[in-house]
Amino acid sequence: MIKYDYIIVGGGSAGCVTANRLVNDYSASVLLIEQGGSDWNPMIHIPSGFIPMLSGSPYHTFHKTIPQKQLNHRTHEIAQGKILGGGSSINGLVYMRGLKNDYAEWKQSTGNSKWGWEDMLQHYKKIECNERINDSNHGIYGPLKVSDPKYISKGAYMYMKTIQELGIPFTNDFNDGNPKGVGLMQLTLDGHKRCSAVDAFIKPIKKNKKLTISLKSQVTKLLFENKKVIGVEFIKNNQLNKVYSNNEIILTAGSFQTPKILMLSGIGSEEELSKHNLPLLNKSEGVGKNLQDHFEVPVVANTQSGYGYFKQDIGMRKYLNGIQYLLFKSGPVMSNGCESVTYYNPINSDKNATIQLFCVMQMYLDQDIKSIKLDHGITINSNLLRPKSKGTIKLKSNNFIDEPLINPNYLSNTEDIKILLASIKFAKKVIRTKPLSYIIKKEILPGENITSDQDLINHCKKTVKTCWHPVGTCKMGTEKDDLAVVTPDLKVKGIKNLRIFDASVMPNLISGNTNAPTMALADRAVDIMMNKINIF
C-alpha cells in the first residue's frame, strides 16, 4: 500500500501552491496528481506563446457547453488547462485581484468568517514579488513575479488616451481593492518569460524527495472507509492505481473537474447520481450548481496598419520578431496581446466598476464568426465583472472518461444584458473618439448602423464568449446553507479528510481574472488546514 501524508488532486495554480506549502513549510510527503503533462514546451514560457493555442492545443481540455436556449441554441467552447501549472501555464498572464466588495460577499456567504479583503490581502502580499509597487497593498519578496508589460502596441497607447479623453482617468494600480480607470495591466512575468505556478512554487521544491508528481494521470474516484476519504484511484499508462493518505485529500482540479470527481465518488445531489446509477454516499445538493463565469462581447473595427498584431506571427515578420526576442528579449513576442484595460461602470460612474473594457489590437473573434475577413484591427471587449447569470455542471455519464455537461447560462439574466448593452454603446463611442478614431477605418461588429437596443442585444447573443474564469461549483458556506459544498474551513460537508482548495469554492466571482485569487486562496487554505489561522 502506497501512502503519503497528503494527496493533491489537480496540478494547477491551487495545487502547485498547496504542494509547495506542505512540502516546504511542513516537510510533509505529498503526491500531486495532474491529468495533463509537464510544462517542458518552451513556447508556453514565451509571453505571446499561449495565443496560437487558444484554438487547439494538447495543453487544454476544450469543454463543449450544452446548447444555450437563450442564445439561439449556440454552444461554446471553454478551454481549461491540462498541464502542470494549469491555467497559469497557458493563460494571458494577467494579474488581477478584484474589488474589496467581492470578498465582503465571501464573508457574508461563510457567516462572517475570515474570508474578507484584509484576510486575503496578507496572502496576496506574501506570494507576490512586484517589480514596481512596494506599498501596503503589494509584496516584493514572494516567489510569484509580477511586472508591467514589456511590450506595448501603439494602438494600446491610443486607446488609453482616448478613454481619458472621455473622462475616465488613468490609473497605475488595478490591485488596490478599488480598481477604476484606464491603464496597463500587470502580468505574471519574470523578465522576458512567463512566471507560472510551476515556476513560482514547484521548481523550488522539485528535487525535494518529499514531493511526488504523477503526470498524465486521470482520477476516477475517491476511496472511502464509510464517510472518511482514505485514498484516490487514478489511471496512468492504462493502469489502475490506488494511493492512500495518512491525513487529508485535497481537491484542486478546478470548477469543472472537482464537482465531477465528487459526483463520481458518490457526493452530490440524489437526483443527479441516481440518473447515472451511482450510489449516493453523501447528499450534497450544491455540487455542480452556482457556476459563474466571466463573459464578454466585442466591438470590432478595421484600423490602419502598424498599430497592432495582425500578421505579426506569420511569414518573414514571424522570424524577425522571433530573432528580436531571442537576441534582445524585446518586441511583439513579449506581448500578451492585450496590455490595456478600463475598469468602469457604464451606468453609474460613481459606483464600483461593473465592466472590464479590454483593448485587443487585432480582430479577435469567436470561432463561430467565420464570415468576417481578418485584417488590421482592434477589438474592444466588454467583460461583465459580476454576472448574475448562473449555470450548472452535470455528469454526462458514470464513465470518468466523459467530460461533464456544462451549462454556463450566459445572458440569462436581464440585469446582465442591461449592463452589457450600456457598455457596447460606450465601446462604439470609444472607436469614434479621437485620437483612436484617427486610425479607425470601419466598424465591423456590430456595425455602424446597428444602434437600436434590440439589434445590439442580438449582437450580444451572437458574439458573447467565455473569459475562461469558471468558479463556484462547490461553494463554501455555512452548515445551514444546503447549497454549500464546503464549510468556511474548506472541508467537504459530511465527509472526513476531504477539502477543496480551488476556485470552485468561491461563492461568487471576483471582479477580475481568477488566477491570482486562486493562488492566494490556496495559500490561505493551507494555513487554515494546518491550524495556523483560526477561521471562525
Side-chain angles (χ1 to χ4, degrees):
M1 180 185 294
I2 303 173
K3 296 195 81 173
Y4 299 86
D5 291 332
Y6 296 91
I7 299 173
I8 303 169
V9 178
S13 295
C16 290
V17 172
T18 304
N20 176 283
R21 291 291 315 280
L22 291 175
V23 170
N24 216 23
D25 297 355
Y26 297 97
S27 196
S29 62
V30 171
L31 172 63
L32 180 63
I33 303 174
E34 165 57 37
Q35 185 178 355
S38 77
D39 66 336
W40 68 271
N41 191 331
M43 281 298 294
I44 68 172
H45 298 279
I46 297 170
S48 63
F50 75 98
I51 296 172
M53 300 179 189
L54 293 177
S55 60
S57 144
Y59 308 120
H60 295 75
T61 298
F62 292 95
H63 296 275
K64 289 282 189 182
T65 70
I66 66 171
Q68 301 292 286
K69 292 180 182 178
Q70 75 283 6
L71 303 178
N72 300 316
H73 299 279
R74 278 182 66 202
T75 59
H76 295 82
E77 193 173 72
I78 307 178
Q80 294 287 276
K82 189 175 70 172
I83 183 175
L84 189 63
S88 75
S89 291
I90 42 84
N91 66 8
L93 295 91
V94 174
Y95 181 85
M96 288 287 185
R97 300 174 178 176
L99 289 159
K100 291 180 181 180
N101 283 8
D102 301 331
Y103 302 92
E105 292 183 38
W106 289 18
K107 284 190 72 171
Q108 183 179 7
S109 295
T110 55
N112 281 326
S113 64
K114 298 173 184 175
W115 279 107
W117 167 261
E118 294 298 330
D119 302 308
M120 287 288 287
L121 181 59
Q122 60 181 298
H123 300 279
Y124 280 119
K125 292 173 66 176
K126 175 186 164 189
I127 66 178
E128 178 188 15
C129 178
N130 200 292
E131 171 191 62
R132 172 171 57 86
I133 311 174
N134 180 17
D135 61 18
S136 60
N137 290 310
H138 291 276
I140 60 171
Y141 299 113
L144 183 70
K145 303 298 190 294
V146 177
S147 70
D148 295 335
K150 302 306 177 192
Y151 180 87
I152 302 162
S153 64
K154 291 180 182 179
Y157 283 118
M158 298 191 78
Y159 165 80
M160 290 187 287
K161 287 186 286 189
T162 300
I163 294 293
Q164 292 172 80
E165 183 74 17
L166 289 166
I168 296 176
F170 184 83
T171 182
N172 274 309
D173 185 9
F174 288 111
N175 289 305
D176 62 357
N178 185 31
K180 275 188 176 180
V182 64
L184 297 170
M185 296 182 287
Q186 288 206 298
L187 310 174
T188 49
L189 276 178
D190 183 5
H192 64 280
K193 58 183 176 31
R194 175 190 295 273
C195 183
S196 69
V198 179
D199 298 316
F201 302 103
I202 295 299
K203 286 184 179 177
I205 61 168
K206 203 159 188 180
K207 294 182 180 178
N208 193 313
K209 293 181 180 178
K210 293 281 188 177
L211 176 66
T212 302
I213 300 175
S214 183
L215 299 174
K216 297 184 178 179
S217 304
Q218 186 166 6
V219 169
T220 59
K221 63 180 180 180
L222 303 171
L223 302 173
F224 293 88
E225 279 183 358
N226 298 317
K227 289 193 175 184
K228 175 183 176 182
V229 180
I230 59 170
V232 173
E233 181 181 281
F234 66 94
I235 297 287
K236 181 174 183 174
N237 297 326
N238 295 318
Q239 299 251 332
L240 185 66
N241 301 270
K242 293 183 179 182
V243 289
Y244 299 88
S245 172
N246 293 319
N247 297 302
E248 300 194 50
I249 310 290
I250 301 157
L251 296 180
T252 55
S255 294
F256 293 163
Q257 298 299 326
T258 288
K260 173 187 167 183
I261 291 168
L262 288 179
M263 288 186 280
L264 289 175
S265 303
I267 302 169
S269 77
E270 188 171 4
E271 178 184 1
E272 180 66 11
L273 269 61
S274 64
K275 190 189 305 180
H276 301 289
N277 297 314
L278 288 163
L280 181 68
L281 175 72
N282 191 69
K283 186 177 179 180
S284 184
E285 291 295 330
V287 174
K289 295 185 173 68
N290 191 50
L291 172 62
Q292 298 162 60
D293 185 17
H294 287 136
F295 48 86
E296 61 187 12
V297 174
V299 167
V300 181
N302 280 134
T303 66
Q304 298 174 21
S305 63
Y307 292 88
Y309 298 108
F310 182 60
K311 290 189 175 179
Q312 292 293 315
D313 59 347
I314 61 174
M316 183 58 69
R317 178 52 57 186
K318 173 181 178 180
Y319 294 104
L320 290 174
N321 288 336
I323 291 168
Q324 182 179 357
Y325 175 77
L326 291 171
L327 293 180
F328 305 108
K329 305 298 185 277
S330 64
V333 176
M334 285 296 298
S335 174
N336 74 328
C338 178
E339 309 95 22
S340 54
V341 72
T342 305
Y343 265 81
Y344 83 116
N345 188 316
I347 294 175
N348 189 335
S349 60
D350 293 329
K351 291 190 175 181
N352 283 332
T354 55
I355 290 284
Q356 268 179 322
L357 198 68
F358 292 110
C359 172
V360 183
M361 285 311 301
Q362 55 187 334
M363 295 173 68
Y364 177 48
L365 303 170
D366 195 33
Q367 290 180 334
D368 291 351
I369 306 169
K370 298 176 181 177
S371 59
I372 295 174
K373 183 181 178 182
L374 296 182
D375 199 347
H376 296 280
I378 183 173
T379 303
I380 299 181
N381 272 324
S382 295
N383 173 38
L384 187 63
L385 289 170
R386 290 297 309 277
K388 290 184 169 61
S389 301
K390 296 181 181 181
T392 59
I393 303 291
K394 295 184 178 182
L395 292 176
K396 183 177 181 180
S397 75
N398 59 16
N399 190 332
F400 70 91
I401 293 174
D402 290 333
E403 296 300 341
L405 298 176
I406 299 170
N407 177 16
N409 224 12
Y410 302 142
L411 293 180
S412 59
N413 183 280
T414 54
E415 184 67 21
D416 292 350
I417 295 173
K418 178 182 175 183
I419 297 170
L420 274 174
L421 186 60
S423 188
I424 292 298
K425 291 177 180 179
F426 180 75
K428 284 169 68 70
K429 185 177 181 181
V430 170
I431 62 173
R432 298 195 307 269
T433 302
K434 295 182 288 190
L436 190 59
S437 61
Y438 290 142
I439 67 168
I440 301 296
K441 295 169 74 174
K442 182 182 179 182
E443 181 182 322
I444 304 299
L445 284 175
E448 293 174 5
N449 298 324
I450 304 299
T451 57
S452 74
D453 285 2
Q454 189 55 57
D455 285 344
L456 290 173
I457 289 170
N458 290 339
H459 166 70
C460 291
K461 291 183 176 183
K462 289 177 183 176
T463 61
V464 64
K465 63 176 285 296
T466 179
C467 287
W468 308 287
H469 298 156
V471 309
T473 53
C474 297
K475 75 167 188 170
M476 56 180 168
T478 63
E479 287 283 0
K480 294 180 181 179
D481 183 354
D482 290 339
L483 292 181
V485 177
V486 298
T487 49
D489 53 0
L490 306 182
K491 294 179 179 177
V492 175
K493 290 165 64 173
I495 300 292
K496 292 181 179 179
N497 288 8
L498 182 61
R499 300 197 198 216
I500 304 174
F501 287 3
D502 61 32
S504 70
V505 304
M506 297 179 184
N508 52 269
L509 260 171
I510 63 97
S511 301
N513 306 60
T514 49
N515 187 44
T518 299
M519 288 188 277
L521 184 154
D523 189 71
R524 184 165 184 77
V526 174
D527 281 350
I528 293 168
M529 182 173 69
M530 305 308 284
N531 297 314
K532 191 175 178 181
I533 291 176
N534 181 7
I535 197 72
F536 298 106

